[in-house]
C-alpha cells in the first residue's frame, strides 16, 4: 500500500511538472501591433487597461472627474454612454463595455486597404471575461438587428466571425451618415470588433498563426517605437500611438469628402507635390502620473532624407540640452514654453517652390 501511495505521489508530481512546463511555454497573447495589418494608418494602444485606468484616477484629471461635486455629471455621462444607440456607433461598443471587459491590452486601429473603404478595428484582451463579453455582444446583436442589420456567420481558419450587414437604405445614405458592416469574433482571450469583413479576416488569420505584413513591421513604426523605448528606458508607458499622416488624411477624405478643400490648388495636393510625404510617421509614448507629472509624452516624427522641393525647408539640427533650456525672459507664470532648433537660412532658401 505504501509503495502504491509513493507511485501515485510520483505520478502526480510528474503530471504537475508537465502541466507547469506547458503553461510556462505557452505563448503570451500577441501584442495588437502584431495583429493589425501594415495598412494601419492610425493606431492607439493601452498596454494594461485596468492598470492604466487606475493610474489615470491618480492624476489631477482623474481626481477632478471623481470629485463628489462631479458625480451628477459623471453619472449622466455613464448613462448616456450605456443608452447610446449601438447601431449608430462605429463598432457598436462603448467605453463602458471596454471598462467592463478589458483585462490587458486594448488596441484601436484605422486601416485602409487598397480599393476598399477605410475601417476601424478594436482588439481587446478579455481574459476571464468570456461570459460578460457574450452578454455585451448579445446586446450589440439586439441593437443591430433592430436597426435592420442582417447577421451571418463566416468561418476563417477555425475562427467563427459574426457579420452584421447594414440595411440597403443606410448603405446608400450620404457619406457622413453611412453605416458600415460590423464584424465580431472572440478567439482565446481576444475580442475583435471591426467595420470590415476583410479587416476582421486579416486579424483572425494573424491570431491563428498566419500573419501577413503587420504594423510592427512597418519601418516608420519600428523606428519611432524603438527610439521612444530607448529614451523611456525602464519607464513603461500607459499608452502608445502612431499615425501615417498622409495615409490617414487620404483615408479620411475618402470617408468624408467634405474634408477635400474647395480651394484650388488643394493644399493637401500641394504638400504632396512639394515633398512633404517624406514625413512617413508620427508616434510616441504616453506616461501617466510619472515623476510628479500628470502626463508625459515622448513624440517622434520619422522623415528620412533625402528631401525634395520645399520639404528641404525642414532642417532641424540636433541641439545640446543646455541650448534648449528656457531663456531667462520666460517667467515661472508661463503655461507653455516651446523651443525648437531650426536652420532658418535653409528654410528661406527653399521656401520659393512652396
Amino acid at each position: 500500500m505504501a509503495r502504491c501511495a509513493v507511485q501515485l505521489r510520483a505520478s502526480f508530481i510528474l503530471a504537475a511538472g508537465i502541466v507547469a512546463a506547458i503553461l510556462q511555454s505557452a505563448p503570451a497573447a500577441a501584442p495588437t501591433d502584431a495583429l493589425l495589418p501594415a495598412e494601419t494608418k492610425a493606431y492607439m494602444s493601452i498596454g494594461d487597461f485596468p492598470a492604466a485606468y487606475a493610474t489615470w484616477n491618480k492624476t489631477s484629471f482623474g481626481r477632478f472627474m471623481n470629485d463628489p461635486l462631479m458625480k451628477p455629471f459623471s453619472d449622466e455621462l455613464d448613462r448616456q454612454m450605456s443608452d447610446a444607440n449601438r447601431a449608430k456607433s462605429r463598432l457598436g461598443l462603448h467605453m463602458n463595455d471596454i471598462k467592463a471587459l478589458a483585462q490587458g491590452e486594448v488596441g484601436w486601429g484605422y486601416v485602409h486597404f487598397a480599393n476598399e473603404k477605410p475601417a476601424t478595428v478594436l482588439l481587446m484582451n478579455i481574459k476571464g471575461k468570456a461570459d460578460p463579453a457574450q452578454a455585451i455582444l448579445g446586446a450589440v446583436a439586439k441593437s443591430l438587428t433592430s436597426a435592420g442589420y442582417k447577421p451571418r456567420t463566416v468561418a476563417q481558419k477555425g475562427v467563427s466571425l459574426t457579420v452584421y450587414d447594414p440595411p440597403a437604405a443606410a448603405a446608400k445614405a450620404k457619406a457622413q451618415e453611412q453605416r458600415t458592416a460590423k464584424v465580431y469574433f472572440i478567439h482565446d482571450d481576444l475580442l475583435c470588433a471591426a467595420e470590415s469583413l476583410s479587416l476582421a479576416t486579416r486579424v483572425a488569420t494573424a491570431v491563428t498563426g498566419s500573419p501577413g505584413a503587420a504594423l510592427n513591421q512597418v519601418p516608420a513604426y519600428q523606428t519611432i517605437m524603438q527610439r521612444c523605448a530607448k529614451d523611456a528606458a525602464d519607464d513603461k508607458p500607459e499608452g502608445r500611438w502612431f499615425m501615417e499622416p498622409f495615409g490617414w488624411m487620404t483615408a479620411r477624405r475618402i470617408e468624408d469628402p467634405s474634408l477635400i478643400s474647395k480651394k484650388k490648388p488643394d493644399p493637401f495636393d500641394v504638400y504632396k507635390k512639394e515633398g512633404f510625404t517624406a514625413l512617413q510617421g508620427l508616434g510616441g509614448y504616453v506616461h501617466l502620473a510619472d515623476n510628479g507629472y500628470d502626463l508625459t509624452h515622448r513624440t517622434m516624427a520619422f522623415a528620412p532624407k533625402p528631401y525634395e522641393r520645399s520639404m528641404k525647408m525642414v532642417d532641424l539640427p540636433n541641439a545640446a540640452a543646455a541650448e534648449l533650456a528656457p531663456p531667462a525672459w520666460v517667467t515661472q507664470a508661463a503655461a507653455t514654453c516651446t523651443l525648437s532648433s531650426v536652420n532658418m537660412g535653409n528654410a528661406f532658401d527653399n521656401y520659393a517652390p512652396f
Side-chain angles (χ1 to χ4, degrees), residues 37-60:
E39 293 87 349
T40 300
K41 306 305 178 185
Y43 169 71
M44 291 186 294
S45 167
I46 299 175
D48 185 340
F49 188 89
Y53 190 72
T55 303
W56 165 261
N57 286 332
K58 296 177 183 178
T59 67
S60 58

Side-chain angles (χ1 to χ4, degrees), residues 273-276 278 306-313:
K273 179 182 177 181
E274 291 302 318
F276 287 90
Y307 297 157
E308 300 294 334
R309 298 177 67 83
S310 294
M311 181 63 186
K312 294 179 181 178
M313 291 191 299

Side-chain angles (χ1 to χ4, degrees), residues 191-262:
L191 185 152
C192 171
E195 287 185 293
S196 151
L197 177 57
S198 59
L199 176 52
T201 299
R202 182 73 170 268
V203 174
T205 301
V207 167
T208 54
S210 303
L215 172 62
N216 65 358
Q217 298 171 346
V218 174
Y221 179 85
Q222 287 182 333
T223 303
I224 289 170
M225 294 303 152
Q226 289 170 2
R227 173 58 185 272
C228 290
K230 179 181 177 181
D231 288 353
D234 295 329
D235 192 5
K236 301 299 180 183
E238 275 69 38
R240 295 176 294 130
W241 68 280
F242 172 78
M243 174 184 288
E244 182 191 324
F246 282 88
W248 175 79
M249 194 59 196
T250 298
R252 289 291 297 123
R253 285 156 61 101
I254 291 172
E255 276 200 300
D256 186 357
S258 69
L259 295 174
I260 299 175
S261 175
K262 295 180 181 179

Side-chain angles (χ1 to χ4, degrees), residues 11-299:
S11 298
F12 176 79
I13 293 174
L14 177 61
I18 293 174
V19 170
I22 292 174
L23 291 175
Q24 289 176 357
S25 62
T32 57
D33 59 2
L35 300 177
L36 291 176
E39 293 87 349
T40 300
K41 306 305 178 185
Y43 169 71
M44 291 186 294
S45 167
I46 299 175
D48 185 340
F49 188 89
Y53 190 72
T55 303
W56 165 261
N57 286 332
K58 296 177 183 178
T59 67
S60 58
F61 307 112
R63 294 197 303 272
F64 172 73
M65 290 301 296
N66 290 325
D67 189 285
L69 292 174
M70 292 295 295
K71 191 174 189 307
F73 172 80
S74 299
D75 290 346
E76 176 62 16
L77 183 62
D78 284 343
R79 185 193 67 77
Q80 291 185 23
M81 289 172 61
S82 298
D83 294 344
N85 189 338
R86 295 178 182 277
K88 290 186 177 181
S89 64
R90 293 202 66 151
L91 293 171
L93 297 171
H94 306 310
M95 180 56 71
N96 285 346
D97 300 325
I98 297 174
K99 287 159 60 176
L101 297 178
Q103 297 301 298
E105 185 182 13
V106 174
W108 172 91
Y110 182 65
V111 181
H112 185 203
F113 293 128
N115 302 317
E116 292 190 24
K117 292 180 180 178
T120 59
V121 59
L122 180 73
L123 303 178
M124 182 167 30
N125 184 319
I126 58 167
K127 186 174 183 178
K129 293 283 187 174
D131 290 341
Q134 292 293 354
I136 287 175
L137 291 182
V140 171
K142 182 178 179 180
S143 177
L144 293 176
T145 53
S146 296
Y149 283 76
K150 304 297 183 183
R152 58 190 172 101
T153 301
V154 175
Q156 173 64 34
K157 289 186 174 292
V159 179
S160 178
L161 289 73
T162 302
V163 184
Y164 295 89
D165 294 309
K172 294 179 181 179
K174 58 184 180 180
Q176 294 92 330
E177 298 176 357
Q178 282 187 1
R179 299 185 194 176
T180 59
K182 303 185 195 301
V183 188
Y184 306 90
F185 73 79
I186 295 176
H187 183 76
D188 293 337
D189 295 326
L190 180 77
L191 185 152
C192 171
E195 287 185 293
S196 151
L197 177 57
S198 59
L199 176 52
T201 299
R202 182 73 170 268
V203 174
T205 301
V207 167
T208 54
S210 303
L215 172 62
N216 65 358
Q217 298 171 346
V218 174
Y221 179 85
Q222 287 182 333
T223 303
I224 289 170
M225 294 303 152
Q226 289 170 2
R227 173 58 185 272
C228 290
K230 179 181 177 181
D231 288 353
D234 295 329
D235 192 5
K236 301 299 180 183
E238 275 69 38
R240 295 176 294 130
W241 68 280
F242 172 78
M243 174 184 288
E244 182 191 324
F246 282 88
W248 175 79
M249 194 59 196
T250 298
R252 289 291 297 123
R253 285 156 61 101
I254 291 172
E255 276 200 300
D256 186 357
S258 69
L259 295 174
I260 299 175
S261 175
K262 295 180 181 179
K263 296 180 179 180
K264 299 299 179 183
D266 185 336
F268 184 66
D269 293 333
V270 172
Y271 279 111
K272 291 196 294 184
K273 179 182 177 181
E274 291 302 318
F276 287 90
T277 51
L279 178 58
Q280 297 177 23
L282 295 168
Y285 276 15
V286 177
H287 305 262
L288 298 175
D290 182 53
N291 295 323
Y293 297 97
D294 277 335
L295 185 148
T296 305
H297 65 85
R298 292 177 168 87
T299 301

